[in-house]
Amino acid sequence: MITTLIEGVLETRSNFILAAGAVCTLTAATMLLLMRNADIATRQQRIFAAIWVAIVAGVGVWTTHFVAMLGYRPDAALTYDLQLTLISIVVGVLLVGVPLAGTMFITEDRTRIIFGMIAGLGVAAMHLTGMSAIENCLATYNPFVLALGVIAGMGGFTFAMLQDLSVHGSHLRKGAGIVGGVCALHFVAMAAVSLDQVEAAVRGIGGSFLSILVAIISLAVFTMAMLATFNHRRTLAQLRAGV
């Protein structure tokens, strides 16, 4: 089992592993900045922040996945169906981002656990949708290893959602839970998959086009998100100061 997991990680080039981890960390940090001081925000301000949390979480998880996939199995020259690739963004926003954003309005631990589990399952759904976009290879999975990855992802997000942001050090633990959940699910799930190349020629987007697509979408979203984050935090600081 351990050998299988290690081989799954080693099939991705190390520089892309680091890049994917950096994107995931940036995603978590942006989300935490948006979530901070939510207790003093008006309902309208909280809704504004929640919308951006959902978008950042969904696009961030999607970007993490495809950055890692750009470095996966360079010998296979993977191609992707553009429509399914774009659909996987929507899956990420709806099934990962929305549950995470929903925790901004909920204080009950039981409900937070449920939302964390849904978000973990959402990462799995986004991952599998993204993998189904591969056109020139047939993917088969070891169900036990795949289930282990899904459980790890759910565990990371559940841990993150249970953190009380008013407690010292909770932001770091929450961020670690999110990053750990996403990365554990992705790399364990990649250890579970076997790709067999399909002989028939299939048209699809290749690595060069995919890298440009990922860069454009992620840069656009994160740039707008950071601007929205700074504006949101300035507004909350003024509210706290009574300005």
Side-chain angles (χ1 to χ4, degrees):
M1 173 60 70
I2 295 177
T3 302
T4 301
L5 296 177
I6 293 175
E7 289 177 350
V9 173
L10 292 179
E11 286 189 310
T12 303
R13 285 182 287 181
S14 58
N15 54 331
F16 284 92
I17 293 175
L18 293 174
V23 169
C24 196
T25 301
L26 176 61
T27 298
T30 305
M31 288 170 53
L32 290 174
L33 287 173
L34 285 164
M35 289 178 169
R36 288 190 68 178
N37 298 322
D39 56 319
I40 65 168
T42 64
R43 181 171 180 81
Q44 183 177 1
Q45 290 168 336
R46 197 173 297 186
I47 290 173
F48 171 83
I51 291 172
W52 275 108
V53 165
I55 294 172
V56 168
V59 175
V61 169
W62 177 84
T63 304
T64 299
H65 169 80
F66 279 102
V67 166
M69 289 304 297
L70 286 170
Y72 178 74
R73 288 285 303 277
D75 60 303
L78 301 177
T79 60
Y80 299 84
D81 177 82
L82 179 59
Q83 184 176 358
L84 277 175
T85 300
L86 295 176
I87 287 174
S88 63
I89 301 178
V90 179
V91 173
V93 172
L94 294 180
L95 298 185
V96 181
V98 172
L100 294 182
T103 62
M104 295 181 64
F105 303 89
I106 295 167
T107 57
E108 184 184 10
D109 283 350
R110 181 183 299 179
T111 307
R112 283 176 167 269
I113 289 173
I114 292 172
F115 277 31
M117 293 174 68
I118 293 173
L121 289 172
V123 177
M126 191 288 307
H127 177 92
L128 293 174
T129 303
M131 292 299 292
S132 70
I134 297 175
E135 290 192 322
N136 62 333
C137 288
L138 177 65
T140 56
Y141 293 89
N142 178 320
F144 178 76
V145 177
L146 180 60
L148 183 63
V150 174
I151 291 171
M154 292 171 66
F157 276 92
T158 300
F159 172 79
M161 294 307 101
L162 286 175
Q163 300 304 309
D164 182 354
L165 295 183
S166 64
V167 177
H168 179 71
S170 60
H171 287 84
L172 182 60
R173 292 191 294 271
K174 192 180 189 77
I178 293 171
V179 173
V182 173
C183 292
L185 192 150
H186 174 84
F187 289 108
V188 175
M190 293 311 297
V193 71
S194 295
L195 295 179
D196 297 311
Q197 287 191 297
V198 178
E199 295 298 330
V202 181
R203 293 182 179 179
I205 60 175
S208 298
F209 186 92
L210 180 63
S211 61
I212 294 172
L213 178 68
V214 170
I216 291 174
I217 293 176
S218 58
L219 284 174
V221 169
F222 279 107
T223 299
M224 291 187 293
M226 291 307 296
L227 292 174
T229 300
F230 291 135
N231 179 66
H232 178 66
R233 286 175 59 77
R234 184 175 65 250
T235 302
L236 290 182
Q238 292 172 345
L239 183 62
R240 184 179 289 276
V243 176

